[in-house]
Amino acid sequence: MIARFHNPVDTRFGWGSLHELADITENQTVALVTFPEARGLGLVDRIQDLLGDRLVYVIEDVQPNPDVAQLRDTYERFWQQAGECNVVIAVGGGSAIDTAKALIVGTESGRFDELLALLATGKPFVPTRRKLLIAAPTTAGTGSEVTPWATIWDSASHKKYSLHLECTWPKVAIVDPELMLTVPGGVTVSTGLDALSHALESVWNINANPVSDTFAISAIADILECLPLLRHDLANRELRSRMAMAALKAGLAFSNTKTALAHSISYEMTLHYGLPHGIACSFTLPLVLGLAWGHDAARDCTLQRIFGNDLAKAQDQLREFLHSLDVKTEFSDYGVSVSQAEHMIQCAMQGARGKNFIGSLAA
């Protein structure tokens, strides 16, 4: 088999790499998309100092799991008030980057519902207008800085939309572990588990290849070792850097494979049970590992490089790891009955991401 790996994102990694922003945006006007606490943390002022009068617009009210109820007004104001800017920079976690990805896709009318209608078709399209995107994650988990995907939620209708266009690949990713120093313990854990899920999902995936496996295996080893240590030493610069790199490697892995069954299940758990994304996509990892094992010799070989050749011990290792981070691993822990869980898994197998799972063909 000939492996193909493609990632077009110009990635800058390292302590203090946010300073690259000044050179990257030379002679361009910039809009900033960030989270409500960013100003209190001094991030907005830091970016203002770096960009000066090039920073022409700031959105700082991004909420977790960007929802159409809020995005509609944000999107339409952006295109009315900052439609002439050249670049959008997202500084934050996955929600900030996903929000920015939605904002840069301009519709002819400037109306958000036109974008939703295009997304609802499930078909690719070329937007009438678009902006360049720079993504600077403040959490070690999203991977969105090196992928083209964004999830837009419609909680009132219990739906979600997946945005994926050529223009939603970030032009540049700035992965600066210094931005992650102030992330609290709970968010550090949940986003780190999101990264672990990205890496594992890229392994038990029909689109896996030796290049994506290399990134994934390295990311998994680092997360299993570093995340429990970092949880108890949040100011540790070395651990923050290692987790930032692990999340980046996980992002690079699934940028080519997409996610699979655990993420497909997670969407229902977030929509209907309110679980934060990092927990929703990681609490089933021991279960999904068992469902993946034995379906593909090459995938088994890769999984055994990580966990050894005893499935029960491998599942126990994952469960104990999650339990050590106070993450419960049974559907019943989240109010889901056995029959509900079985139905959810079967439906998830048939979802767009579930079909990437190596066990879905046998389901």
Side-chain angles (χ1 to χ4, degrees), residues 85-138:
C85 78
N86 306 116
V87 177
V88 173
I89 176 169
V91 179
S95 295
I97 300 174
D98 280 8
T99 296
K101 287 178 179 177
L103 293 180
I104 66 170
V105 181
T107 57
E108 188 170 355
S109 65
R111 302 298 296 271
F112 183 69
D113 285 342
E114 184 181 345
L115 175 60
L116 286 186
L118 290 166
L119 293 177
T121 69
K123 298 177 181 177
F125 61 93
V126 178
T128 305
R129 299 176 286 173
R130 52 193 173 275
K131 309 293 181 189
L132 295 179
L133 175 62
I134 299 171
T138 58

Side-chain angles (χ1 to χ4, degrees), residues 199-212:
L200 283 168
E201 293 264 86
S202 74
V203 173
W204 52 54
N205 199 300
I206 62 173
N207 303 305
N209 65 68
V211 183
S212 62

Side-chain angles (χ1 to χ4, degrees), residues 53-71:
D53 58 10
R54 280 177 278 168
L55 183 61
V56 297
Y57 195 74
V58 179
I59 296 168
E60 52 187 308
D61 60 351
V62 170
Q63 300 300 313
N65 301 325
D67 194 281
V68 296
Q70 184 196 31
L71 270 177

Side-chain angles (χ1 to χ4, degrees), residues 143-334:
S144 191
E145 71 276 7
V146 288
T147 76
W149 300 296
T151 299
I152 298 171
W153 301 86
D154 185 347
S155 55
S157 301
H158 295 288
K159 294 184 350 186
K160 74 171 187 69
Y161 299 88
S162 183
L163 175 61
H164 171 206
L165 301 172
E166 195 62 34
C167 70
T168 54
W169 284 100
K171 180 72 173 175
V172 181
I174 300 174
V175 184
D176 184 345
E178 186 178 5
L179 299 179
M180 304 170 190
L181 267 178
T182 57
V183 178
V187 178
T188 297
V189 167
S190 65
T191 54
L193 291 177
D194 191 17
L196 177 63
S197 181
H198 291 153
L200 283 168
E201 293 264 86
S202 74
V203 173
W204 52 54
N205 199 300
I206 62 173
N207 303 305
N209 65 68
V211 183
S212 62
D213 279 352
T214 299
F215 284 122
I217 292 168
S218 179
I220 292 162
D222 278 345
I223 294 166
L224 292 177
E225 180 181 346
C226 286
L227 190 55
L229 299 174
L230 179 57
R231 183 194 186 199
H232 297 292
D233 192 5
L234 296 173
N236 189 304
R237 291 164 60 108
E238 180 186 354
L239 292 175
R240 287 288 185 188
S241 293
R242 287 183 66 189
M243 275 302 300
M245 178 57 78
L248 174 60
K249 288 184 288 193
L252 290 168
F254 91 96
S255 76
N256 275 246
T257 65
K258 304 179 185 177
T259 52
L261 180 60
H263 271 73
S264 191
I265 294 169
S266 81
Y267 301 135
E268 289 299 306
M269 294 300 295
T270 295
L271 273 174
H272 296 287
Y273 295 87
L275 262 65
H277 177 68
I279 306 303
C281 66
S282 62
F283 86 95
T284 60
L285 291 177
L287 168 68
V288 178
L289 174 62
L291 296 174
W293 202 281
H295 288 292
D296 182 286
R299 300 297 85 217
D300 283 353
C301 182
T302 302
L303 288 169
Q304 289 166 15
R305 287 173 61 190
I306 302 163
F307 294 111
N309 58 10
D310 186 314
L311 172 58
K313 287 183 179 178
Q315 290 178 293
D316 285 344
Q317 180 186 347
L318 264 183
R319 284 194 196 94
E320 289 169 9
F321 172 78
L322 290 163
H323 292 167
S324 76
L325 299 170
D326 296 327
V327 175
K328 298 175 180 177
T329 54
E330 302 300 325
F331 277 99
S332 58
D333 296 324
Y334 301 98

Side-chain angles (χ1 to χ4, degrees), residues 7-12 20 24 135 145-146 170-174:
N7 191 291
V9 183
D10 175 1
T11 303
R12 319 288 177 95
E20 299 271 303
I24 293 168
E145 71 276 7
V146 288
K171 180 72 173 175
V172 181
I174 300 174

